[in-house]
């Protein structure tokens, strides 16, 4: 009997050890160009709820990190923000990060142009936050830090500090470090780059219940949802139909049979997959019909307009390396159009969402 108890105890210890090995630590120290320790710098993991400040020794630490790809950002007043990509596979990471002093830029003060700034802000909010129901309930609390410039038909925006965004629909306060924003008034094309960290808003039990439901709706059918399902190889079970696009214009000419995405996936290791394909893919989230979609060989094509719910995805690079969070190593990996392309900050969720 004692031997059985001892055996059970050993098994429990082994199981606990395996579970402990599933999470790791990202720690580091921040210096300036003179190798001086920087205290009080803001350090966060992009797209997450993990943020902190360096201590008196310039040190920071993030615990409970699962294997995957991460982007660590350091920001400090008077210094240019710095980012460092970190890939966690089977061990913790220790970083040494140097930040450089930011050059002082004297900006021209424009007087008597308040109407133009209001118009610029209107364009920025529409194309940065988005136009969804969630986006319409977002508010940027410090719009005064935005700087605008115009070159012909291009509107650009930058900021020297975090934009503070309250999303009353999803229950988050987002600190967004905007690197650049560009809107082409001629083509209507928007591009922006930056990093974000999330905090949960305080709320009543009723508000929290609403946020849980709204977050679920924002996640369902999102790019994050698709890539996580791709990683788990259960796209159809999760409600996604993927079809090959045969042409480059509207209306779309689609292959009639759903694509078996498994043929485009290679397992890198236990934590990452490689996605590699050369075609354009049309993707729609249709929970009701995904498992009913015909897998048998059919001839011809399906003619279809893009619609509000469809997305087109192609690789911008040769491949994409994806982890279980739905994150990809290089932000340039994909070119996205349609439904996903229209999703902006107002519908963004942190990668902790599950």
């Amino acid at each position: 009997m004692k031997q059985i108890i001892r055996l059970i105890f050993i098994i429990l210890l082994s199981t606990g050890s395996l579970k402990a090995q599933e999470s790791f630590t990202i720690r580091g120290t921040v210096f300036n160009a003179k190798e001086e320790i920087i205290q009080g710098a803001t350090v966060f993991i992009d797209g997450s709820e993990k943020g902190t400040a360096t201590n008196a020794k310039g040190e920071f630490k993030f615990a409970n990190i699962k294997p995957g790809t991460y982007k660590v950002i350091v920001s400090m007043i008077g210094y240019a923000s710095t980012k460092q990509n970190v890939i966690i596979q089977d061990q913790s990471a220790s970083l040494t990060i140097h930040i450089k002093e930011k050059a002082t830029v004297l900006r021209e003060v424009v007087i008597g142009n308040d109407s133009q700034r209001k118009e610029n802000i209107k364009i920025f909010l529409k194309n940065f936050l988005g136009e969804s129901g969630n986006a319409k309930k977002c508010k940027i609390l410090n719009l005064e830090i935005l700087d605008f410039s115009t070159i012909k038909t291009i509107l650009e925006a930058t900021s020297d500090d975090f934009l503070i965004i309250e999303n009353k629909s999803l229950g988050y306060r987002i600190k967004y470090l905007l690197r650049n924003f560009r809107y082409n008034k001629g083509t209507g094309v928007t591009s922006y780059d930056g990093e974000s960290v999330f905090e949960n808003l305080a709320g009543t039990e009723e508000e929290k219940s609403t946020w849980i439901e709204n977050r679920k709706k924002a996640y369902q059918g999102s790019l994050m949802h698709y890539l996580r399902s791709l990683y788990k190889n259960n796209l159809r079970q999760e409600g996604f139909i993927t079809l090959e696009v045969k042409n480059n214009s509207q209306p779309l000419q689609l292959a009639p049979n759903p694509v078996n995405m498994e043929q485009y996936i290679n397992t890198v290791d236990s934590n990452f997959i490689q996605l590699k394909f050369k075609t354009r893919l049309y993707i729609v989230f249709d929970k009701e019909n995904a498992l009913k979609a015909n897998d048998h060989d059919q001839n011809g094509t399906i003619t279809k307009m893009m619609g509000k719910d469809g997305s087109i995805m192609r690789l911008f690079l040769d491949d994409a390396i994806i982890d279980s969070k739905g994150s990809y190593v290089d932000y340039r990996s994909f070119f996205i159009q349609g439904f996903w392309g229209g999703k902006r900050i107002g519908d963004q969720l942190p990668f902790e969402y599950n």
Side-chain angles (χ1 to χ4, degrees), residues 33 54 74 103 129 174 194 207 219 274 283 304 320 340 343:
T54 54
V74 179
L129 296 177
I174 307 167
E207 286 174 325
Y219 176 75
Q274 177 198 46
I283 299 154
K304 182 179 180 65
W340 289 340
K343 292 297 181 181

Side-chain angles (χ1 to χ4, degrees), residues 30 60 120 159 178 256 304 325:
V30 179
F60 65 88
N120 290 341
S159 68
L178 181 69
K304 182 179 180 65
K325 308 188 306 298

Side-chain angles (χ1 to χ4, degrees), residues 81-268:
S81 62
T82 301
K83 55 184 174 181
Q84 186 163 332
N85 291 326
V86 181
I87 295 176
I88 298 294
Q89 292 179 298
D90 56 2
Q91 61 183 359
S92 297
S94 182
L95 310 176
T96 298
I97 299 177
H98 289 82
I99 56 177
K100 297 179 180 180
E101 289 188 17
K102 184 185 296 184
T104 302
V105 179
L106 296 177
R107 294 185 174 86
E108 180 183 358
V109 178
V110 180
I111 301 174
N113 200 21
D114 188 53
S115 62
Q116 184 59 58
R117 180 172 176 82
K118 287 181 179 179
E119 179 61 24
N120 290 341
I121 288 175
K122 183 179 178 181
I123 293 172
F124 177 82
L125 293 177
K126 174 182 175 182
N127 292 281
F128 178 69
L129 296 177
E131 298 183 90
S132 69
N134 293 328
K136 290 176 181 177
K137 292 187 178 180
C138 288
K139 183 178 181 180
I140 299 179
L141 304 183
N142 55 343
L143 284 170
E144 68 277 1
I145 72 171
L146 280 172
D147 291 315
F148 293 102
S149 61
T150 303
I151 304 174
K152 295 184 179 180
T153 61
I154 306 296
L155 173 67
E156 295 187 340
T158 58
S159 68
D160 290 332
D161 202 351
F162 288 97
L163 289 173
I164 309 299
I165 306 161
E166 283 197 354
N167 189 331
K168 292 295 184 67
S169 181
L170 299 181
Y172 292 117
R173 178 178 290 108
I174 307 167
K175 296 174 69 176
Y176 194 94
L177 197 58
L178 181 69
R179 294 186 182 273
N180 61 72
F181 169 91
R182 289 170 60 90
Y183 173 72
N184 189 318
K185 297 178 182 179
T187 63
V189 174
T190 301
S191 64
Y192 57 87
D193 181 30
E195 292 83 35
S196 58
V197 62
F198 291 73
E199 301 172 8
N200 285 287
L201 291 176
T204 64
E205 291 304 314
E206 183 179 356
E207 286 174 325
K208 290 178 181 178
S209 178
T210 299
W211 293 339
I212 289 172
E213 188 61 31
N214 289 346
R215 291 173 185 181
K216 181 179 178 181
K217 290 178 181 178
Y219 176 75
Q220 291 288 317
S222 66
L223 179 60
M224 176 190 281
H225 185 192
Y226 184 84
L227 294 179
R228 287 181 176 182
S229 303
L230 187 70
Y231 180 90
K232 296 177 181 177
N233 195 25
N234 63 352
L235 286 170
R236 297 280 288 277
Q237 292 88 336
E238 285 295 309
F240 291 100
I241 300 173
T242 307
L243 300 172
E244 182 181 352
V245 182
K246 296 291 190 179
N247 64 337
N248 294 310
S249 60
Q250 293 271 23
L252 301 175
Q253 299 295 317
L254 306 175
N257 302 302
V259 176
N260 178 13
M261 291 299 292
E262 192 172 1
Q263 65 183 308
Y264 299 135
I265 296 173
N266 294 312
T267 300
V268 177

Side-chain angles (χ1 to χ4, degrees), residues 239-346:
F240 291 100
I241 300 173
T242 307
L243 300 172
E244 182 181 352
V245 182
K246 296 291 190 179
N247 64 337
N248 294 310
S249 60
Q250 293 271 23
L252 301 175
Q253 299 295 317
L254 306 175
N257 302 302
V259 176
N260 178 13
M261 291 299 292
E262 192 172 1
Q263 65 183 308
Y264 299 135
I265 296 173
N266 294 312
T267 300
V268 177
D269 55 33
S270 59
N271 303 313
F272 298 91
I273 61 170
Q274 177 198 46
L275 179 63
K276 191 169 186 176
F277 59 91
K278 294 184 178 180
T279 186
R280 296 168 74 223
L281 300 175
Y282 175 81
I283 299 154
V284 65
F285 180 69
D286 187 344
K287 194 82 173 179
E288 184 176 346
N289 294 310
L291 291 175
K292 300 177 184 177
N294 201 334
D295 282 320
H296 302 297
D297 290 336
Q298 298 183 68
N299 297 319
T301 58
I302 300 172
T303 301
K304 182 179 180 65
M305 297 299 291
M306 170 78 80
K308 293 182 178 180
D309 300 326
S311 303
I312 288 181
M313 179 173 73
R314 68 174 174 84
L315 283 173
F316 188 75
L317 303 178
D318 290 337
D319 62 6
I321 306 299
I322 301 167
D323 65 19
S324 62
K325 308 188 306 298
S327 298
Y328 35 98
V329 172
D330 195 316
Y331 74 94
R332 302 169 300 169
S333 297
F334 298 106
F335 182 79
I336 303 294
Q337 293 174 284
F339 176 71
W340 289 340
K343 292 297 181 181
R344 306 293 164 86
I345 299 302

